Amino acid sequence: MPKLSIVVPCYNEQESIPLFYPAVEKVVNKMPVEVEYWFVNDGSADKTLDELRKLHQQNPDKVHYVSFSRNFGKEAGLYAGLEATTGDYVVVMDVDLQDPPEYLPIMYKYISTGEYDCVGMRRTDRTGEAKFKSFLSDKFYDVINKVSDTKIVNGARDYRMMTRQMVNAVLSLKEYNRFSKGIFNWVGFKTKYLPYKNVRRIAGTTDWSTWKLFKYAVDGITDFSEAPLSIATWIGGMSAFLSILGLIFVIVRRIIEPSSSAFGWASMVCIMLLLGGLQLMCIGIVGKYIGKIYMQTKQRPIYIVKEKK
Ligand code: UDP
Ligand code: MG
């Protein structure tokens, strides 16, 4: 019987775990697979680890967990979970039941035919989410798909089932700044997307504020595209070009009408401030990339394990 590994990153999810496990068990018990769970406790401050220990004691062969020494972020959790799996197929799920387990048999049906390497879930709406947040999300997908060669499907969640071959490919990318949505697409392979309606969190609260999502979006774009660097070059080129035109205008005017002298220091100050601002912005863009190079060259581990069972 093929083995299905379920990877579940958890951060402060003490209320969700006791609901998640039976809900998933109910579904996978009817599937023709052997199942293993790999929960990742991402440095939770609540009783998440205790819940995981309890589950492991009840099902020592089936339920496993990796517990980090501190919070390393969901991306690191995913990496650790995927690394630990041994199954022929691996599925990544959130613990808050926003990734409905009912879809597992359908995903499995598609992937077990051998036609697809990956089956992902794509939500078709964002009910229960703030309008402004949804608007920003939509814009993010527009931008990243324009500037990056790696296409990212709008609404695609991290809820996806992959073959062992694809998991190994994902693990072979050892980059420190991990943007899974991009990585899953970057490795290629044939993916089938199944649409579904958004589901609200079963318990707890989301950890993603609009500001955190914005930073995540900027990281996604800079991880998968060099477009911001080109934009900086273009802005510089354009303003240099415009100032040459301005210079020619001033010289010609001086020749035609020698009495006209320089005037308008207020506009001069504005132009200087504008150029200064643009320069700082471009340095900031370059700095963002240098920062990423810096973090990568340190070769720090993606996560640190405190306990693994
Ligand atoms: N998560 C994590 N580490 C973090 C933040 C979140 O492992 O630093 C986990 C969290 O427990 C959940 C999943 O990642 O299982 C998705 O988080 P959340 O539900 O907050 O995000 P959303 O569903 O709103 O995108
Ligand atoms: Mg969630």
Side-chain angles (χ1 to χ4, degrees):
M1 216 165 26
K3 188 168 179 183
L4 176 68
S5 305
I6 303 178
V7 170
V8 196
C10 310
Y11 178 53
N12 294 341
E13 302 279 10
Q14 58 180 13
E15 291 114 6
S16 305
I17 293 166
L19 301 169
F20 171 85
Y21 184 70
V24 175
E25 273 296 278
K26 211 175 105 196
V27 177
V28 292
N29 279 340
K30 295 195 197 108
M31 287 168 64
V33 287
E34 185 193 333
V35 175
E36 70 167 2
Y37 291 83
W38 276 101
F39 288 93
V40 181
N41 171 34
D42 187 9
S44 303
D46 65 357
K47 303 226 174 317
T48 297
L49 183 56
D50 294 338
E51 290 293 337
L52 295 181
R53 282 188 184 128
K54 221 186 317 173
L55 272 185
H56 172 72
Q57 270 152 22
Q58 286 158 8
N59 321 271
D61 298 327
K62 195 171 182 183
V63 178
H64 307 275
Y65 61 85
V66 180
S67 184
F68 289 173
S69 59
R70 65 165 169 88
N71 179 251
F72 279 88
K74 183 183 175 186
E75 300 290 343
L78 284 181
Y79 191 84
L82 290 178
E83 243 184 349
T85 57
T86 57
D88 307 294
Y89 301 102
V90 177
V91 64
V92 173
M93 295 176 86
D94 283 6
V95 72
D96 55 13
L97 290 178
Q98 273 190 303
D99 299 334
E102 301 85 80
Y103 289 100
L104 287 171
I106 306 171
M107 294 166 103
Y108 183 71
K109 197 185 83 199
Y110 278 105
I111 206 163
S112 58
T113 60
E115 199 188 335
Y116 299 99
D117 305 288
C118 175
V119 183
M121 298 299 295
R122 183 174 65 82
R123 41 177 189 176
T124 49
D125 65 332
R126 293 176 183 277
T127 34
E129 206 178 87
K131 280 254 153 35
F132 182 60
K133 228 168 162 176
S134 307
F135 170 79
L136 283 185
S137 298
D138 279 339
K139 284 289 151 281
F140 163 71
Y141 286 106
D142 286 351
V143 170
I144 195 158
N145 282 327
K146 243 184 218 121
V147 300
S148 167
D149 295 335
T150 305
K151 295 289 165 256
I152 296 175
V153 178
N154 190 349
R157 290 186 53 88
D158 289 340
Y159 186 19
R160 54 178 70 222
M161 194 179 284
M162 294 170 275
T163 56
R164 170 58 33 195
Q165 190 187 22
M166 179 160 165
V167 170
N168 289 344
V170 169
L171 289 173
S172 72
L173 271 71
K174 304 223 180 289
E175 58 207 72
Y176 183 80
N177 306 291
R178 301 190 74 77
F179 184 68
S180 286
K181 283 186 200 309
I183 290 175
F184 288 141
N185 287 280
W186 188 90
V187 294
F189 296 104
K190 203 167 164 196
T191 302
K192 162 100 186 150
Y193 281 102
L194 303 174
Y196 80 112
K197 275 206 172 311
N198 192 31
V199 184
R200 289 177 200 218
R201 244 177 181 284
I202 189 151
T205 49
T206 178
D207 188 45
W208 292 93
S209 61
T210 306
W211 175 240
K212 225 173 149 185
L213 273 179
F214 177 74
K215 284 203 298 196
Y216 185 64
V218 170
D219 275 334
I221 290 170
T222 47
D223 278 354
F224 277 89
S225 159
E226 286 163 14
L229 291 173
S230 314
I231 293 170
T233 313
W234 272 102
I235 292 174
M238 282 306 286
S239 64
F241 178 70
L242 288 177
S243 56
I244 290 172
L245 288 187
L247 197 64
I248 293 172
F249 171 77
V250 170
I251 293 170
V252 169
R253 191 180 60 177
R254 181 79 190 177
I255 295 168
I256 295 174
E257 207 180 319
S259 64
S260 73
S261 58
F263 55 86
W265 67 270
S267 49
M268 182 75 96
V269 169
C270 291
I271 291 168
M272 275 166 62
L273 286 178
L274 174 73
L275 286 181
L278 288 178
Q279 280 174 2
L280 286 178
M281 190 185 88
C282 295
I283 292 174
I285 293 174
V286 177
K288 183 90 194 150
Y289 284 87
I290 293 178
K292 288 191 181 260
I293 298 169
Y294 175 61
M295 290 312 286
Q296 186 68 45
T297 50
K298 288 193 193 191
Q299 304 231 346
R300 286 188 180 161
I302 297 169
Y303 60 88
I304 291 170
V305 176
K306 186 169 174 211
E307 194 179 321
K308 189 172 173 184
K309 283 257 158 62

